[in-house]
Amino acid sequence: MCRLQKQTTFRKTKRRLNIRGRKLKMKMKIHGFILFLLFCEFRSQPYPDKLKSSQQIFDASKDSNQETNTIKIGIILDTRSWVGEVVQSCITMAISEFYMLNEQYKTRIALEPRDSRGEPFRSIASAFDLLENAQVHAIMVPEMSSEESFLVTLCDKANVPLLSFSSVSSSNKHPYFLQVAQDETSQFKGVAAFLRAFKWRNVVLIYEDTEDTRQILSHLHDTFRDSDLDAVNDIAITLKATDEEIIKKLHNLRTMRTSIIIVHTSVSLSSQIFKNAKMLEMMSEDYAWIMTSKTMNLLDLQDSPVFESMAGAVGFRPYIPASSKLRNFTLRWRREFQRSEIDMESRGLNVFGIWAYDAVWALAEAIERAGTQCFPNRGGGGFKLNLRNLDHTRVSNSGSTLLNEISRSNFTGLGGEFQLINARLVHETYEIVNVIGKGGRRVGFWTPTCGFTKEIYQFTDNCSSDGLETIIWPGFSTTAPKGWLLQMSGRRLRIGVPANTRFPKLIGLSYDQQTNKATTDGFCMDVFNAAIERLLYKIDYEFIPLYGDNGSYSDHVYNVYLQIFDAAVGDITITSNRSQYVDFTLPFTEFGVGMVARLDDKDPWFFLKPLSVDLWIMSAGFFILTGFIVWLIEHPINVEFQGSLGWQIGTILWFAASTLVYAHREKLQSNLSRFVVGIWLFVVLILTSSYTANLSSLLTVQQIRLTKNDYIGYPKNSFSEGLHVNNLNFQDNRLKPYSSLEDYYDALRKGSKNGGVGAIIDEIPYIKLFLAKYPHEFAMINSSETTNGFAFVSILFFPEQCVCAPCPSL
């Protein structure tokens, strides 16, 4: 029976595995079929004529009298975009000019261009075509999106280097991916330093809602967190967002009160954002707009109305040092292509074209250093496309060598020093641009080593952190925004201050009848003034003296609850009942209440109190007796216990005294005397331990005896009477209220028998103030965290609550 059940279970398990296997095979066939259709569609599309002409440039640069080895290099770009056109033109010129200057080289690059038309799947199909049919040894891609990240994996499997001019950061887990562009995450430290320079802590981030940008957000937030900055909100906007949607998000931004805005979007979306921001009057002197290189790299493509809407914004863009090499190339580039492209001269060269030019020179030099033997004809099998399992795809034999040679590249190109570290271009200098007029004006630079500087000196490591030039902010203001929008009705804040306080050192108020102004001082006011100074905006306020019935602080809190005052400052205690009607700030003093009492008078023989008189007499007797017994045993046989009478008496006393600290030096020869000394040392250990413990207790804990016949003091007009004193089980006629430190002192000095009190209960800040004035006669003997400290009071709004309600019990 058991065997039959096992066979049945085995058949069911096998049937389920077969079903899962068929489903998995079906999915793989579907994926392969989709890629096959894309690949066939790509093969059926003819290449544009301008891409075909790149081979003609290669033929023109080739020396017919010298045998050369042709190395095919693929490039995938969108010829309909301006970036694609500039990159393609710069790559073509780079190949031509490189081999004109190096005619003796035995290798030549043959460009294999493919047009992606801005579609990620077409880029993937182009990569398959380049690897399978063209059998290229490297691929260049100007820009990459998250959807095209499959290209990186594909080139890793084929061992073919992939050079990207995109500034979007990529992980280091792809060994054949080379980022020949400035990593845009490196600018975030510069943005954080810019915010700190103007003492802005809270910012709002507007970013483009794409997978690439969402991945970069974590780097930005980590950088801000390390710099003690806070992105209070992240606002995502899609490329297809309408003006109505953008206006709605900008309206929400205005309610956040933060006026420092970082824009990390493409230039097309940024222009749409700034157009609507200007319409909403958000390009005023209260706002600061900071743009990243994602916008600034292609900002020159925009028209004049876009620059007008961005007036006053500040942007970070990669710094391309000016040089005669770059200037001459720019002239050649314009002269070569302005005839065929009308907008070439008006739009100008961008940073992607410069990076592409330098990348081609690095690639051509790397190919020549690798040698012709490293690039055998990849005919025959070559790259074999396996859509179902990329692990079994044939790989390039020259890929690793070419990758190493490219990584070793180090020269001065159009964009400055060209060097790759960790597969990324080493270039962390950013140019700070203030958008004023067409193209904006440079106000300085930022580098990780020098910080902000007005000048960059080439060919030297010296730099000076001399800050930035004057920035023209939105609204054509030269004063930096405060970073915070203060939305007030225009009236002064009425802040209540207790007028009749018990402790002027905590909160003191004097009112000048002639000037009709109140002046304040004390610890609480110092805390309030320090908090006001740290605000990034100015608050207009006035102090109003609070005169309640009998000076009760509950009345002061109730006045704020009734909105007679906007806030109240002073030594106001946080309680749960008060928190139901008003709002408190964070506490700025210690929590709890304590009890203070008078110290016992010390006499000169205080050190003898740890042990009783009988114990002292008995210890002294055993002290002498032990020395005598040891002398009696050791005298006949030990020379150290012999001598004159005076010497022997001194030896007895000295030996007994030295045993108290275990420092006796006399060597005992009798086992009996050693036994006696051992017992005595044990007794000494017990005596010294007891004495130390009792003495410590007397010095640290005041022995105060409170009985039901003692009087207890408490602060007058304070909640402490009902909250704490009544819980002590003392009779009401034994409780005495006091109002000042001097009253506390007199009552404790008299004591309960002479018309005073035995102890006083109050909050810890008051007790510490009392002990600071009278440190030698009194001490705090007990404390408990039953209150939450002092804080300031503000209005707590309840729309449905009537402020005319009867006075609550606060």
Side-chain angles (χ1 to χ4, degrees):
M1 186 67 180
C2 293
R3 183 177 181 181
L4 181 60
Q5 290 179 352
K6 291 182 180 180
Q7 291 178 354
T8 304
T9 304
F10 176 76
R11 291 193 188 100
K12 291 181 179 179
T13 303
K14 184 176 181 181
R15 190 181 302 111
R16 286 197 297 267
L17 291 175
N18 291 335
I19 293 174
R20 290 180 181 177
R22 287 195 296 269
K23 289 182 179 179
L24 182 60
K25 291 180 179 179
M26 182 61 69
K27 289 182 180 180
M28 295 177 65
K29 289 180 180 179
I30 293 174
H31 292 166
F33 182 69
I34 292 174
L35 288 175
F36 177 74
L37 291 178
L38 289 171
F39 179 68
C40 293
E41 181 184 359
F42 175 81
R43 292 291 303 274
S44 64
Q45 298 290 338
Y47 302 142
D49 292 338
K50 58 183 175 182
L51 293 183
K52 289 182 180 180
S53 62
S54 61
Q55 182 65 28
Q56 299 175 1
I57 296 178
F58 160 72
D59 294 336
S61 64
K62 182 177 178 181
D63 188 359
S64 58
N65 297 326
Q66 181 181 1
E67 183 179 356
T68 58
N69 188 11
T70 302
I71 309 301
K72 293 183 179 181
I73 302 298
I75 178 171
I76 304 173
L77 46 80
D78 180 12
T79 58
R80 298 181 302 177
S81 68
W82 178 248
V83 173
E85 292 181 1
V86 173
V87 169
Q88 190 245 340
S89 62
C90 291
I91 288 178
T92 304
M93 288 187 64
I95 295 175
S96 176
E97 294 178 357
F98 179 83
Y99 290 113
M100 285 181 182
L101 294 176
N102 301 282
E103 296 180 352
Q104 73 279 7
Y105 281 7
K106 297 181 180 180
T107 56
R108 294 292 187 272
I109 289 179
L111 202 60
E112 291 287 342
R114 297 293 184 270
D115 186 6
S116 65
R117 301 183 183 178
E119 300 176 5
F121 288 109
R122 190 176 291 274
S123 298
I124 296 174
S126 300
F128 276 114
D129 177 63
L130 289 172
L131 293 172
E132 182 185 22
N133 298 318
Q135 299 181 8
V136 297
H137 294 272
I139 296 177
M140 292 185 290
V141 181
E143 295 180 294
M144 284 185 60
S145 62
S146 59
E147 292 84 358
E148 295 171 308
S149 59
F150 180 70
L151 292 177
V152 183
T153 303
L154 184 63
C155 290
D156 285 342
K157 296 297 182 182
N159 286 6
V160 172
L162 176 65
L163 287 73
S164 173
F165 314 135
S166 175
S167 58
V168 178
S169 178
S170 178
S171 61
N172 295 324
K173 63 182 180 181
H174 299 291
Y176 284 86
F177 178 77
L178 298 174
Q179 186 177 355
V180 194
Q182 196 162 342
D183 190 353
E184 66 179 17
T185 59
S186 61
Q187 69 183 311
F188 295 153
K189 293 183 179 179
V191 174
F194 187 82
L195 296 174
R196 292 198 308 271
F198 290 95
K199 299 181 180 180
W200 297 327
R201 294 190 65 252
N202 298 326
V203 297
V204 174
L205 175 64
I206 299 178
Y207 67 95
E208 190 172 314
D209 193 8
T210 60
E211 183 65 26
D212 299 332
T213 310
R214 286 192 294 270
Q215 293 177 358
I216 291 176
L217 282 183
S218 60
H219 294 280
L220 180 61
H221 284 293
D222 291 341
T223 303
F224 281 3
R225 192 179 303 109
D226 295 339
S227 302
D228 195 23
L229 301 173
D230 184 21
V232 296
N233 200 358
D234 298 338
I235 300 177
I237 301 179
T238 63
L239 277 172
K240 298 181 181 179
T242 62
D243 287 338
E244 291 76 12
E245 294 173 342
I246 294 177
I247 290 174
K248 183 178 180 181
K249 291 182 180 292
L250 292 177
H251 269 302
N252 295 335
L253 189 152
R254 296 182 66 178
T255 62
M256 299 175 190
R257 300 177 62 184
T258 301
S259 61
I260 310 302
I261 305 168
I262 299 176
V263 180
H264 186 68
T265 61
S266 60
V267 66
S268 59
L269 183 56
S270 295
S271 61
Q272 192 177 2
I273 292 172
F274 280 98
K275 180 188 69 173
N276 291 285
K278 184 178 181 181
M279 184 180 64
L280 296 176
E281 299 182 353
M282 296 179 65
M283 297 302 296
S284 62
E285 59 184 8
D286 294 328
Y287 289 87
W289 295 78
I290 304 171
M291 298 180 291
T292 63
S293 60
K294 191 176 183 68
T295 299
M296 298 298 297
N297 283 342
L298 298 176
L299 186 61
D300 295 337
L301 304 180
Q302 303 305 304
D303 300 327
S304 297
V306 176
F307 285 96
E308 293 177 2
S309 65
M310 294 181 177
V314 178
F316 283 69
R317 69 183 179 192
Y319 171 59
I320 304 297
S323 62
S324 58
K325 182 186 297 185
L326 177 60
R327 183 167 54 253
N328 295 333
F329 172 77
T330 304
L331 294 175
R332 294 195 307 272
W333 178 80
R334 289 179 175 176
R335 183 171 57 250
E336 183 74 20
F337 294 99
Q338 68 179 350
R339 300 174 184 175
S340 57
E341 298 290 343
I342 300 177
D343 292 336
M344 279 281 183
E345 186 174 6
S346 61
R347 294 186 176 183
L349 187 65
N350 58 45
V351 67
F352 296 101
I354 296 175
W355 287 335
Y357 187 94
D358 290 345
V360 170
W361 276 65
L363 182 60
E365 285 284 0
I367 291 174
E368 183 67 22
R369 288 196 302 267
T372 57
Q373 69 279 3
C374 184
F375 301 97
N377 191 349
R378 290 183 60 190
F383 177 86
K384 183 178 180 182
L385 182 63
N386 191 337
L387 297 177
R388 293 186 178 182
N389 192 351
L390 291 177
D391 292 333
H392 293 82
T393 299
R394 292 187 182 181
V395 299
S396 170
N397 296 326
S398 60
S400 59
T401 304
L402 181 58
L403 179 67
N404 293 333
E405 293 297 335
I406 297 174
S407 301
R408 290 175 48 202
S409 299
N410 190 354
F411 63 93
T412 302
L414 296 181
E417 289 295 322
F418 185 95
Q419 184 181 7
L420 298 176
I421 296 181
N422 296 327
R424 289 187 175 93
L425 185 65
V426 179
H427 192 69
E428 294 184 337
T429 302
Y430 282 89
E431 185 179 7
I432 316 298
V433 178
N434 187 196
V435 182
I436 295 292
K438 178 67 174 178
R441 54 183 281 269
R442 178 196 299 165
V443 294
F445 306 89
W446 178 83
T447 63
T449 55
C450 298
F452 293 104
T453 179
K454 297 177 182 178
E455 296 293 338
I456 289 291
Y457 303 100
Q458 299 186 35
F459 311 111
T460 179
D461 295 332
N462 297 329
C463 58
S464 59
S465 301
D466 52 359
L468 301 172
E469 300 284 352
T470 301
I471 297 176
I472 307 299
W473 300 99
F476 298 97
S477 172
T478 56
T479 303
K482 295 296 184 181
W484 200 270
L485 297 177
L486 183 59
Q487 300 175 354
M488 292 181 58
S489 59
R491 67 177 180 87
R492 285 185 174 184
L493 291 177
R494 295 170 55 86
I495 300 178
V497 180
N500 43 358
T501 60
R502 297 184 294 126
F503 303 101
K505 288 190 176 181
L506 285 177
I507 177 71
L509 182 140
S510 60
Y511 196 79
D512 192 344
Q513 298 292 341
Q514 295 181 354
T515 61
N516 199 26
K517 291 184 179 180
T519 58
T520 59
D521 58 2
F523 173 73
C524 295
M525 297 311 303
D526 293 339
V527 174
F528 176 79
N529 294 330
I532 291 295
E533 291 177 359
R534 289 184 62 86
L535 292 178
L536 301 179
Y537 51 89
K538 183 179 179 181
I539 290 181
D540 193 12
Y541 59 90
E542 61 178 337
F543 293 120
I544 307 296
L546 292 172
Y547 297 98
D549 296 336
N550 299 323
S552 173
Y553 276 35
S554 296
D555 295 336
H556 303 335
V557 174
Y558 187 55
N559 286 332
V560 177
Y561 167 71
L562 294 178
Q563 300 185 21
I564 298 176
F565 300 104
D566 299 303
V569 299
D571 49 341
I572 304 174
T573 305
I574 302 174
T575 64
S576 59
N577 193 27
R578 290 174 178 177
S579 299
Q580 297 177 10
Y581 302 94
V582 294
D583 195 9
F584 285 94
T585 63
L586 291 176
F588 55 87
T589 60
E590 291 186 65
F591 304 163
V593 297
M595 179 181 291
V596 62
R598 187 179 179 183
L599 296 174
D600 288 341
D601 293 332
K602 299 291 190 304
D603 57 59
W605 303 101
F606 178 77
F607 67 93
L608 297 177
K609 288 186 176 181
L611 300 179
S612 63
V613 177
D614 296 340
L615 188 56
W616 279 115
I617 296 175
M618 185 179 297
S619 300
F622 275 101
F623 169 81
I624 299 174
L625 180 61
T626 302
F628 177 76
I629 294 175
V630 172
W631 171 83
L632 188 64
I633 298 173
E634 293 288 331
H635 175 70
I637 59 176
N638 195 336
V639 179
E640 295 183 4
F641 288 87
Q642 298 176 359
S644 63
L645 179 62
W647 177 265
Q648 296 183 43
I649 295 174
T651 302
I652 293 173
L653 297 177
W654 169 252
F655 179 81
S658 62
T659 56
L660 295 176
V661 292
Y662 310 104
H664 47 284
R665 295 177 300 174
E666 292 79 7
K667 186 176 180 181
L668 304 179
Q669 298 182 2
S670 173
N671 290 331
L672 182 59
S673 60
R674 292 172 183 170
F675 175 74
V676 172
V677 171
I679 295 176
W680 171 243
L681 291 178
F682 179 73
V683 173
V684 168
L685 176 63
I686 296 176
L687 286 174
T688 55
S689 299
S690 300
Y691 178 84
T692 303
N694 291 336
L695 182 62
S696 300
S697 177
L698 290 176
L699 292 175
T700 57
V701 179
Q702 304 304 322
Q703 304 297 322
I704 298 177
R705 299 176 182 177
L706 292 178
T707 65
K708 291 186 178 182
N709 295 323
D710 283 326
Y711 288 90
I712 299 296
Y714 66 92
K716 185 179 181 181
N717 297 324
S718 172
F719 69 95
S720 299
E721 178 182 3
L723 187 62
H724 303 289
V725 178
N726 291 341
N727 295 331
L728 296 177
N729 199 23
F730 279 77
Q731 298 179 7
D732 292 341
N733 57 359
R734 295 288 177 178
L735 304 177
K736 294 184 177 182
Y738 296 97
S739 301
S740 64
L741 297 180
E742 290 74 16
D743 294 342
Y744 285 3
Y745 177 78
D746 294 337
L748 290 173
R749 287 277 296 179
K750 292 178 180 179
S752 298
K753 296 181 180 180
N754 299 319
V757 295
I760 290 179
I761 293 179
D762 205 345
E763 295 181 76
I764 290 179
Y766 298 129
I767 291 179
K768 287 195 171 184
L769 194 63
F770 175 75
L771 294 178
K773 189 173 183 179
Y774 307 103
H776 303 297
E777 299 182 54
F778 308 95
M780 186 169 63
I781 61 173
N782 193 14
S783 64
S784 61
E785 295 184 359
T786 53
T787 62
N788 295 320
F790 296 160
F792 304 141
V793 180
S794 62
I795 298 174
L796 180 63
F797 289 99
F798 290 110
E800 70 280 2
Q801 180 175 315
C802 177
V803 298
C804 299
C807 179
S809 177
L810 301 179

